[in-house]
Amino acid sequence: MSKRLRDPVHGLIVFDETDQLDIDPLAWSLIDTPEFQRLRRIRQLGVSEFTFPGAVHTRFAHSVGVFHTARTLVEVIAREMKRIGQGFEPEKAQVALVAALLHDLGHGPFSHTFEGVQESRGVKKRHEQWTADIIRSQQGRIQPILEAYRPGFTDEVAGLLEKEDPEDIYHAVVSSSFDADRLDYLRRDKFMTGTGAGAIDFDWLVENVRVAEIEIDAPDDSDAQARRVPTFCLHKKALPAAEQFLLARYTLHQQVYFHKATRCVEHMIAKLLRAVAKAASGKKADLKRTGLPDGHPLLRFFARGGDTVTNYLALDDTLVISALESMSFAEDGVIADTAMRLRERKLYKTLDLAEFGENAGVQRSRLRRIQKQFEAKLASEDVLLDEKATVGIYAEIGGDEERMHKKLHILDGVDPREISELSPMIEALVMKKKQFTRLYFREVSDRDDARG
């Protein structure tokens, strides 16, 4: 019997027990695992609801949408392989589909913000590696299901998610300029935040997807040939839709992902979690100063040697949000004040250096003056500095968008060309990245002094 989910972006998503690739029943059983159900408690856009009240969609809904979109891309691959006279490989398609479904299992609470907190405490593991570890964990529910489906399937799925460089067209389903992840999150985030900027003509784009080889790296030896791999490209008649697709993506980064209030909240949460992590790795007396009860999952994870898969899976957005009440009464003043402010939305006040003009030299000079003026408060984090927010046409939070297979290519005749070679509008945006430099002040009077 088929299973069905209703989705605001894709409509009815059906899991058919008789699908030709025999993957839908497996996907449904994976969705029912505790590891996947945890994604219901992690918001896709983290703290964007502080600015966009409708942005409460979860990584659970997103991941199901990615799987649904991946099935469409696999159909494209089958179509294209037939067109160019090559064979379709069902087993590789199965790996890509399951990898698409499970790709976000490793996100922690507030996603990329939490990654930064981990790194500050010596845990240098991005969510992609956590995802692979969760999939492979013999104590979890995912690995037995995958092995029952096909021996060795666990490593095939986890291995695909760990690969940075593409090897074949099936890898493009989970990592390319037109992968299932961004085809879902761009449409979903645009819809749930209510932002009307940009257009995504999904049906026309998919209709014009082609498979072609691109050069992904330039060899050091001038006599050597560049490595070529197949990926998704778009037919030239889809160029206007491709331009709008990238503009929608650019606008979402500018207006949503890097919104000043959202970035401020992310930095405040990072400050709070760093303070908790510091206490958790210290003496037992420090634990009591956090306001958290003994054995709280945050304390377990940040304790020395606590960065295990089991402890990580106990963490989610809901856990942190529900702990704000307790932490607002913490003996530690930093924890108490920051938790209270987050709970009551009493945010730090923002100063964007763009207020002083677009001249980069003027902005750098003003930043140096402010850093000297507030040196002590920057050290105590009463003033928070945000200078890593860069918006470009290929901008991607937490990712390396300079890689060639992550850039959009248009099939112009026989050979694919990167879209900026064909579109003056996209070329202008590629050449002009916009970097935000902002400071967030605990005291409004400090922000006003910095302006003066």
Side-chain angles (χ1 to χ4, degrees), residues 158-167 171 175:
L160 183 63
L161 290 170
E162 289 175 317
K163 289 177 183 175
E164 292 187 0
D165 292 330
E167 295 180 353
H171 185 271
S175 181

Side-chain angles (χ1 to χ4, degrees), residues 257-277:
Y257 307 143
F258 290 143
H259 190 283
K260 64 179 183 179
T262 299
R263 295 287 292 187
C264 177
V265 176
E266 288 172 349
H267 279 263
M268 290 176 68
I269 287 175
K271 175 182 177 179
L272 173 67
L273 293 177
R274 282 194 298 269
V276 171

